[in-house]
Amino acid sequence: MTALARYRSPLGPIAVEASDEGVCALHLGARTPARPPVSALTRRHVEDALAALEDYFAGRAPPRLPAFDLRGTEFERTVWEELLRIPFGETRTYGEIALALGRPGAARAVGAANGRNPVAILVPCHRVVQAGGRLGGYAGGLDAKRWLLAHEAAHAPLLRVSR
C-alpha cells in the first residue's frame, strides 16, 4: 500500500506517492484524494519529497532528495540515475545522456526511458532536450517543461559559486 499526499505547485496540483522503500511517483495535475501513510517510514518519504518540492519551487536545488522506489527496466533506472547528475539550471540532450551511459546511438531509447520517468521534477527529465535545443516531449506538457526550465534558469545564477 502506498501513501499519497497532495502538493500545490505553481504548475498545479502534484500528488506525491510513496511506499516504505521511497517515493515511487509524482503525478502532475493529479486530483486524486490523499491516502495517509501506513508507516512512519512511508510518512518520512512523503515529507522528504514535499520538502524537496518546496525547495525546488522556491528556486533552490533541493539539498537532499528523498529515497526513491523507482520501478522500471534496468536501462530505465540507469537513465533516471543519470538524470540526477544534471545540475539545476542545466540541460543535456538525449544523445549526451546516451553517450554518458556508454550507449552512443541510443538517444531514442533514452527518450523513451525519459518519458516513463515516474518521478518528474525530482528526477529531472525536464532538463533533457533534443539536439539543437528543441524541447522534445514532456509528460506534463511542453508548457510545464518550458516553465520548469525558465524557473531554473532564473534561479541558477544564484546557485553558482563564483571563482
Side-chain angles (χ1 to χ4, degrees):
M1 184 61 130
T2 59
L4 195 65
R6 290 175 51 107
Y7 178 81
R8 272 197 192 142
S9 82
L11 295 173
I14 297 174
V16 176
E17 188 172 4
S19 68
D20 279 349
E21 287 75 37
V23 176
C24 50
L26 290 184
H27 306 281
L28 283 76
R31 304 214 184 279
T32 55
R35 288 191 307 266
V38 293
S39 71
L41 193 52
T42 302
R43 181 182 343 274
R44 189 179 84 225
H45 296 316
V46 167
E47 289 171 356
D48 288 350
L50 294 174
L53 287 170
E54 191 67 28
D55 283 332
Y56 180 85
F57 286 110
R60 300 181 298 267
R64 187 171 71 85
L65 291 173
F68 293 116
D69 180 13
L70 300 177
R71 298 167 189 163
T73 67
E74 183 179 338
F75 180 74
E76 288 170 341
R77 289 190 313 271
T78 302
V79 169
W80 301 334
E81 288 170 17
E82 188 63 28
L83 299 179
L84 291 168
R85 292 183 180 89
I86 305 171
F88 187 99
E90 294 185 19
T91 60
R92 300 290 184 273
T93 66
Y94 298 103
E96 288 172 328
I97 298 293
L99 196 57
L101 297 175
R103 304 269 312 262
R108 284 186 174 202
V110 166
N114 206 48
R116 287 191 289 276
N117 171 17
V119 190
I121 300 173
L122 295 181
V123 175
C125 54
H126 61 277
R127 294 181 189 152
V128 184
V129 298
Q130 293 178 346
R134 292 183 315 222
L135 292 186
Y138 189 65
L142 288 181
D143 287 341
K145 186 169 185 169
R146 274 186 206 90
W147 190 95
L148 292 165
L149 292 173
H151 171 71
E152 290 187 22
H155 292 91
L158 302 175
L159 301 172
R160 305 221 190 276
V161 177
S162 58
R163 295 183 188 225

